[in-house]
Amino acid sequence: MNNKESNLKEKLRQALASTARVISDDFKINENSDKNKSSKKFDFFELDNLNTKHDFIKARAENDSSALKKRFSNQDIYKENLPSN
């Protein structure tokens, strides 16, 4: 992978991480402590496999979806409403 391509993917990773922090309202994520900690926390796409515009759009959509789930889901309410059988 050349330097320009790796630089672009790192910028995309940072953009996805910052967008996820804002949407999920979780500003405590520290990207500097571990290189891919934020990407593990939000289950990012494997950025090495992004080749087309559609892949980038899908990665952004899934990133936003996981951030929204993190922000608006409540495990206690989920467990209360599980089926009894």
Side-chain angles (χ1 to χ4, degrees):
M1 181 178 344
N2 62 19
N3 191 27
K4 185 177 180 181
E5 186 177 335
S6 63
N7 190 19
L8 179 65
K9 289 189 181 192
E10 183 58 33
K11 285 182 181 181
L12 178 63
R13 182 176 285 115
Q14 290 174 353
L16 289 175
S18 63
T19 302
R21 281 195 305 270
V22 170
I23 291 173
S24 68
D25 204 24
D26 183 9
F27 299 107
K28 295 177 270 184
I29 300 170
N30 186 3
E31 287 183 44
N32 297 330
S33 66
D34 185 23
K35 184 176 180 184
N36 291 326
K37 183 178 181 181
S38 62
S39 60
K40 288 177 186 174
K41 187 160 185 121
F42 288 105
D43 299 325
F44 286 142
F45 264 43
E46 183 61 40
L47 294 180
D48 296 332
N49 298 332
L50 300 179
N51 297 319
T52 65
K53 183 179 178 181
H54 178 70
D55 293 339
F56 285 100
I57 292 170
K58 188 173 180 183
R60 172 68 192 274
E62 293 213 2
N63 180 57
D64 291 353
S65 177
S66 65
L68 286 167
K69 285 178 188 175
K70 181 178 181 191
R71 181 174 186 174
F72 293 110
S73 63
N74 186 328
Q75 285 295 333
D76 295 332
I77 294 173
Y78 176 76
K79 289 177 184 178
E80 279 181 23
N81 295 308
L82 281 174
S84 60
N85 52 7

